[in-house]
């Protein structure tokens, strides 16, 4: 009986030793293959460094193999052993984000893309920006200060893009002091009008960082060769009072202005303009839109 128990015990021990021996052999074989793949990819004979890397980052292996990202990391790690994988991955993701921005905007201005990423990386999806943010970057390249101001007031990239996409047809000025930011824009429905005929649709847009209530407006334009500006507030409204109700965010108002009769008022063909002045407390903010009379 004792002999049978002894044989059984020895058998169990041999099986256990064999199992763990095989596991050790398999682990060593996988380790050797990993190290070999590292050295082959980096075209290096430095076994010691490849072995050290494997000791530190073997947890990154999947099914006993390193993926492309880890192999690329090993190349950088060879040059800088203090480089951390998390840090490396973050830098790679940043590079990809910047590359997508530049590609979308068709620009080679890496420095600007880097500045943008430093400021707006919180809007990224790890290693890329969505279509809206990429579009905003294109506007930001044209007028950085205006784009950032619009985003601050309108509070969403989509709303900022909607405004900035028409920037080429706007004339714009802005004001910032203390806790108040204003962006005033003006545009006309056309760039050319017939002399002494028809009307102009003059639209103003005011972006505001706070509620202001009713704000006075002064509009003037169509300068006569002998009597100054023909169009003034009373030309548009007999009361002479024009205003826009301003709330936080986007505000817009349009004015229909009859084109003055040329013989009656001395308005000449060629370039003419309309100016809008926003008056709030001691602040005067204005824009002037130029158009052609034919």
């Amino acid at each position: 009986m004792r002999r049978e128990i002894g044989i059984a015990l020895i058998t169990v021990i041999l099986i256990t030793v064999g199992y763990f021996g095989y596991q050790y052999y398999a682990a060593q074989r996988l380790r050797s293959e990993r190290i070999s793949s590292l050295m082959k990819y980096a075209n290096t004979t430095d076994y010691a460094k490849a072995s050290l890397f494997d000791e530190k980052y073997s947890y990154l292996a999947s099914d006993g193999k390193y993926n492309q990202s880890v192999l690329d990391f090993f190349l950088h790690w060879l040059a800088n052993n203090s480089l951390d994988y998390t840090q490396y991955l973050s830098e790679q993701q940043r590079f990809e984000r910047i590359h997508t921005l530049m590609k979308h905007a068709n620009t080679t201005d890496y420095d600007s893309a880097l500045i943008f990423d430093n400021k707006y990386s919180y809007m990224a999806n790890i290693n890329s920006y969505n279509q809206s943010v990429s579009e905003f970057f294109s506007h930001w390249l044209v007028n950085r200060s205006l784009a950032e101001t619009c985003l601050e007031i309108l509070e969403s990239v989509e709303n900022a893009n909607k405004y900035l996409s028409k920037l080429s047809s706007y004339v714009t000025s802005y004001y910032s002091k203390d806790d108040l930011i204003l962006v005033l824009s003006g545009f006309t429905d056309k760039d050319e009008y017939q002399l002494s005929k028809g009307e102009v649709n003059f639209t103003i847009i005011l972006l505001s960082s706070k509620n202001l209530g009713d704000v006075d407006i002064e509009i003037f334009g169509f300068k006569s060769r002998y009597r100054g500006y023909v169009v003034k507030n009373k030309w548009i409204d007999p009361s002479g009072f024009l205003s826009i109700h301003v709330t936080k965010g986007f505000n817009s108002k349009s004015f229909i202005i009859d084109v003055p009769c040329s013989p009656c008022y001395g308005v000449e063909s060629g370039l003419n303009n309309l100016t809008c002045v926003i008056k709030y407390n001691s602040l005067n903010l204005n824009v002037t839109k130029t158009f052609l009379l034919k």
Side-chain angles (χ1 to χ4, degrees), residues 21-35 47 54:
Y22 175 78
Q23 291 296 317
Y24 176 78
Y25 167 77
Q28 288 300 109
R29 182 172 58 82
L30 286 175
R31 171 174 163 77
S32 177
E33 290 176 358
R34 290 197 304 270
I35 293 173
Y47 179 87
D54 186 74

Side-chain angles (χ1 to χ4, degrees), residues 179-246:
D179 62 341
L180 177 61
I181 303 173
L182 296 175
V183 180
L184 176 63
S185 300
F187 65 95
T188 52
D189 57 330
K190 294 185 291 186
D191 291 324
E192 296 182 1
Y193 298 91
Q194 295 296 315
L195 192 63
S196 303
K197 182 180 179 181
E199 57 191 21
V200 177
N201 187 330
F202 184 41
T203 300
I204 63 167
I205 296 174
L206 186 62
L207 308 184
S208 175
S209 62
K210 59 190 295 186
N211 297 326
L212 301 182
D214 291 330
V215 175
D216 291 338
I217 294 174
E218 181 181 355
I219 293 177
F220 55 88
F222 289 95
K223 193 170 186 179
S224 167
R225 61 180 177 271
Y226 51 81
R227 61 167 65 186
Y229 290 108
V230 175
V231 170
K232 296 181 181 178
N233 282 16
K234 284 190 175 183
W235 182 275
I236 303 169
D237 188 311
S239 69
F241 294 102
L242 301 178
S243 67
I244 180 174
H245 186 74
V246 179

Side-chain angles (χ1 to χ4, degrees), residues 92-266:
Q92 287 298 104
Q93 291 165 349
R94 186 184 193 195
F95 175 79
E96 290 183 29
R97 290 197 305 267
I98 292 173
H99 178 71
T100 59
L101 286 174
M102 294 172 64
K103 183 177 180 181
H104 181 275
N106 192 26
T107 180
T108 57
D109 191 346
Y110 179 85
D111 289 341
S112 290
L114 182 62
I115 293 171
F116 183 91
D117 185 73
N118 285 337
K119 189 176 182 71
Y120 295 112
S121 60
Y122 68 89
M123 294 192 291
N125 180 18
I126 302 179
N127 61 350
S128 65
Y129 288 100
N130 63 28
Q131 182 69 22
S132 293
V133 181
S134 295
E135 181 184 345
F136 178 70
F137 173 64
S138 296
H139 298 309
W140 183 88
L141 281 176
V142 175
N143 191 326
R144 183 179 307 182
S145 179
L146 178 60
E148 291 180 356
T149 299
C150 291
L151 181 60
E152 182 178 350
I153 294 175
L154 298 175
E155 299 180 341
S156 86
V157 171
E158 290 75 16
N159 288 338
N161 285 341
K162 188 176 181 180
Y163 173 84
L164 294 167
S165 63
K166 298 180 180 179
L167 193 62
S168 60
S169 62
Y170 294 165
V171 284
T172 303
S173 61
Y174 52 95
Y175 167 88
S176 177
K177 187 176 182 180
D178 300 327
D179 62 341
L180 177 61
I181 303 173
L182 296 175
V183 180
L184 176 63
S185 300
F187 65 95
T188 52
D189 57 330
K190 294 185 291 186
D191 291 324
E192 296 182 1
Y193 298 91
Q194 295 296 315
L195 192 63
S196 303
K197 182 180 179 181
E199 57 191 21
V200 177
N201 187 330
F202 184 41
T203 300
I204 63 167
I205 296 174
L206 186 62
L207 308 184
S208 175
S209 62
K210 59 190 295 186
N211 297 326
L212 301 182
D214 291 330
V215 175
D216 291 338
I217 294 174
E218 181 181 355
I219 293 177
F220 55 88
F222 289 95
K223 193 170 186 179
S224 167
R225 61 180 177 271
Y226 51 81
R227 61 167 65 186
Y229 290 108
V230 175
V231 170
K232 296 181 181 178
N233 282 16
K234 284 190 175 183
W235 182 275
I236 303 169
D237 188 311
S239 69
F241 294 102
L242 301 178
S243 67
I244 180 174
H245 186 74
V246 179
T247 59
K248 184 178 183 298
F250 182 92
N251 305 272
S252 176
K253 190 167 185 176
S254 294
F255 300 91
I256 302 300
I257 302 172
D258 293 327
V259 177
C261 169
S262 176
C264 304
Y265 296 99

